[in-house]
């Protein structure tokens, strides 16, 4: 872990006020990172020093001691909120291939008293990446991160899944009206039906806001259902009411949490949630007129996020559709409509120009305004 050239004043400030992560016993060859930087660990590594106080994401992939050289396990991570001069101690658990954080205050004090001896084994925080990390998490508070993080305390790139039902014996399968496993499959469908249904192990799920599948209120008329399917403000307000009633702008923290879990933590489920939440925000015309600050914040969040991803990343290989251009096309169209605050309208226009220039995306292509909107009607509702 090589040090980074930094201003001597900044270095002195971080040396005096920065937090220290002491990570003992982490195997050589492990890939470990803090926020936006990752290292492959050597034999001398004992932790990271001079960490700016605040929210950080520690992530690691263990070196596979049984596998081929250079083989590493799935990525795991956790959000930490560090105080000035805090010393946090963790030991590597070889069996679990995970860090165990010490809750013994005496051990932390012993380590603190020994920091001078440990200093040569601690790598400095990658200060050159701090500005980028802050720009990706400026809306993400400790409270939001800890509320969204799994109860297990670990964000995992691969889901820890278990069978929904324990079907050890043939008679267990028969009791559930499932096909027996002791006969040859007659079709692919039968083979798939025989596979156990899996669910995530309790406590390992990311606790994202639930985005309603039904975008309209109960008892809505067909005309209202069509309206609510084109303008998702009802669904967005339901999410804000359920999860962020006191501080609606905290939904931007969730957007940042999902993005970091995907970008740094490699969690695909987080990317899917980021897309769903972004589509919900971008396609809520009425909300845009009523919640100026939320949408000014959204533009700032997206400005930094989109700077981190190659432009062709969002193109669907099969359909060649670009999720982002179609979603943002709706956003820019709604943002230019009458009734939207002039500051927001101008900021959206500038953002559109920036993206057009940077990614060569065309937001003014045919909007297919004449194309019909396909709407799912609730059971029993018919259009006369």
């Amino acid at each position: 872990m090589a040090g980074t050239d930094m201003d001597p004043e900044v270095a002195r400030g971080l040396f005096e006020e920065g937090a220290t992560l002491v990570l003992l016993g982490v195997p050589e060859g492990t890939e470990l990172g803090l926020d936006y930087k990752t290292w492959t660990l050597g034999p001398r590594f004992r932790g990271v020093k001079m960490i700016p106080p605040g929210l950080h994401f520690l992530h690691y992939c263990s070196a596979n001691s049984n596998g081929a050289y250079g083989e590493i396990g799935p990525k795991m991570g956790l959000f930490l909120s560090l105080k000035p001069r805090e010393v946090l101690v963790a030991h590597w658990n070889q069996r679990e291939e995970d860090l165990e954080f010490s809750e013994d205050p005496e051990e932390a004090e012993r380590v603190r008293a020994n920091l001078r001896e440990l200093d040569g084994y601690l790598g400095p925080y990658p200060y050159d990446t701090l500005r980028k990390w802050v720009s990706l998490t400026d809306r993400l508070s400790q409270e939001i991160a800890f509320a969204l993080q799994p109860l297990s305390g670990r964000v995992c790139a691969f889901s820890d899944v278990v069978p929904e039902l324990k079907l050890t014996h043939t008679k267990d399968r028969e009791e559930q009206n499932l096909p027996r496993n002791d006969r040859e499959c007659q079709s692919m469908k039968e083979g798939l039906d025989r596979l156990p249904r899996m669910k995530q192990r309790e406590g390992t799920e990311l606790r994202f806001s639930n985005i309603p599948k039904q975008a309209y209120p109960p008892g809505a008329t067909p005309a209202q259902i069509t309206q609510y399917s084109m303008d998702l403000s009802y669904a967005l307000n339901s999410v804000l009411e359920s999860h962020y009633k006191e501080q609606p702008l905290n939904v931007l923290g969730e957007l940042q949490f999902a993005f970091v879990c995907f970008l740094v933590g490699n969690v695909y489920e987080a990317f899917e949630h980021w897309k769903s939440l972004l589509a919900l925000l971008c396609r809520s015309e009425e909300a845009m007129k009523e919640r100026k600050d939320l949408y000014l914040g959204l533009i700032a969040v997206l400005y930094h996020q989109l700077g981190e991803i190659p432009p062709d990343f969002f193109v669907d290989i099969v359909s060649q559709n670009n999720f982002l251009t179609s979603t943002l096309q709706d956003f820019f169209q709604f943002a230019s409509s009458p009734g939207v605050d002039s500051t927001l309208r101008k900021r959206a226009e500038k953002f559109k120009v920036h993206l057009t220039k940077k990614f060569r995306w065309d937001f003014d292509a045919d909007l297919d305004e004449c194309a019909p909107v396909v709407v799912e009607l609730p059971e029993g509702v018919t259009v006369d």
Side-chain angles (χ1 to χ4, degrees), residues 78-92:
L78 67 153
F79 285 88
L80 297 168
S81 183
L82 299 174
K83 301 181 191 77
R85 298 184 298 283
E86 184 173 6
V87 174
L88 207 54
V89 182
H91 298 264
W92 186 257

Side-chain angles (χ1 to χ4, degrees), residues 187-205:
S187 67
M188 170 73 91
K189 183 184 181 311
E190 189 186 330
L192 292 172
D193 286 344
R194 285 189 192 183
L195 292 173
R197 284 201 186 89
M198 307 301 279
K199 63 175 182 181
Q200 268 190 273
R201 188 184 297 278
E202 210 165 312
T204 64
E205 314 96 321

Side-chain angles (χ1 to χ4, degrees), residues 284-310:
S284 296
E285 187 173 11
E286 276 309 304
M288 242 176 255
K289 294 173 185 173
E290 294 160 7
R291 299 182 184 273
K292 175 188 85 168
D293 291 343
L294 175 61
Y295 283 92
L296 286 171
L298 175 64
I299 290 172
V301 165
L302 276 179
Y303 175 85
H304 293 294
Q305 290 183 342
L306 300 190
E308 300 308 309
I309 289 189

